[in-house]
Amino acid sequence: MLKDQKGFTLVELLITVAIMSIIALAVCGFLMTGARSYSEANSDINVQQEAQLAMNQIADVLVDATGKVEYVCCNGSQEQTVCKEDELTFEPDDKLLLLYQGEESGDQDYCFLWDKASESLYYAETDAKEQIPSIKEPENSGQWALLARRVTQFAVDLSQFEEKRVVQITMKFICGDREYTTSSNVTVRNRAVP
């Protein structure tokens, strides 16, 4: 028998491999949790940023409105112009926020369309003499620009518009199992011309 044998026994190697496997699994678990948290946070930030950009776009147009403002809700063959949601007599599939600048101003009229089926918010500009772009299949029409996705609710309240020139807009965005609601009271600078 040799007295100075150097090396590891099979038992020592198995214990070392088991310990290293446990450490590797723990490190992978931490990395996976960190990556998942980063992905969820990044998704939340993207939804919030998209919501804020959409709200800013609507507010920028509303602030400078000089003509009348209408809130029109549609469902197939039904169409109803309302001041706020609780006046609706049916469940709408599409909602339009229309800002008319007036023919004498020569400016563009603005249209914001919320499409329930695609959960998307669209934007279009038209000349004062043109018709509102078709709301059927807005993503394929070429007339509407996509403003935001994942918009599950869109509501406008014009009840304070005549008296205080205030328009309240509320949007709800959803991403996965998280919801983000944004609301803004926009004060119109100019007195609207009916």
Side-chain angles (χ1 to χ4, degrees):
M1 246 179 139
L2 297 172
K3 290 186 176 186
D4 274 347
Q5 286 186 351
K6 294 187 179 180
F8 300 105
T9 65
L10 183 59
V11 173
E12 291 172 333
L13 285 174
L14 288 174
I15 291 172
T16 303
V17 168
I19 292 171
M20 293 302 282
S21 297
I22 292 170
I23 291 171
L25 285 173
V27 168
C28 286
F30 285 126
L31 290 175
M32 294 296 287
T33 301
R36 191 176 314 115
S37 295
Y38 173 78
S39 176
E40 288 174 2
N42 194 32
S43 180
D44 285 349
I45 288 170
N46 287 339
V47 169
Q48 291 176 12
Q49 185 177 26
E50 189 172 15
Q52 190 61 51
L53 289 172
M55 187 64 77
N56 288 347
Q57 178 70 30
I58 295 171
D60 286 349
V61 172
L62 262 172
V63 163
D64 292 327
T66 58
K68 69 179 178 175
V69 178
E70 289 184 342
Y71 183 44
V72 181
C73 299
C74 310
N75 183 356
S77 61
Q78 294 179 319
E79 184 177 295
Q80 187 177 0
T81 301
V82 295
C83 282
K84 55 185 178 177
E85 293 287 313
D86 57 3
E87 295 176 357
L88 283 169
T89 58
F90 60 91
E91 182 66 31
D93 290 332
D94 299 301
K95 297 177 182 178
L96 288 158
L97 176 61
L98 306 171
L99 299 124
Y100 300 103
Q101 300 299 338
E103 291 182 27
E104 65 279 348
S105 70
D107 290 334
Q108 299 285 315
D109 290 338
Y110 300 96
C111 310
F112 294 93
L113 166 67
W114 175 70
D115 182 42
K116 183 178 182 178
S118 65
E119 294 184 341
S120 298
L121 186 64
Y122 297 94
Y123 167 77
E125 292 181 15
T126 62
D127 287 334
K129 297 171 188 154
E130 290 181 20
Q131 293 284 338
I132 298 168
S134 172
I135 61 173
K136 295 191 185 312
E137 297 186 16
E139 65 276 356
N140 298 326
S141 73
Q143 297 174 309
W144 293 98
L146 181 65
L147 194 58
R149 294 188 190 280
R150 300 177 290 227
V151 184
T152 57
Q153 289 181 1
F154 178 77
V156 176
D157 184 346
L158 297 174
S159 60
Q160 299 178 26
F161 183 66
E162 293 293 325
E163 184 181 322
K164 299 180 182 177
R165 299 188 326 254
V166 173
V167 177
Q168 182 179 19
I169 302 167
T170 304
M171 292 186 283
K172 185 180 284 188
F173 291 76
I174 194 163
C175 184
D177 59 347
R178 296 183 185 214
E179 289 183 350
Y180 177 72
T181 302
T182 180
S183 183
S184 181
N185 289 333
V186 180
T187 303
V188 178
R189 285 186 200 146
N190 306 310
R191 184 68 63 186
V193 177

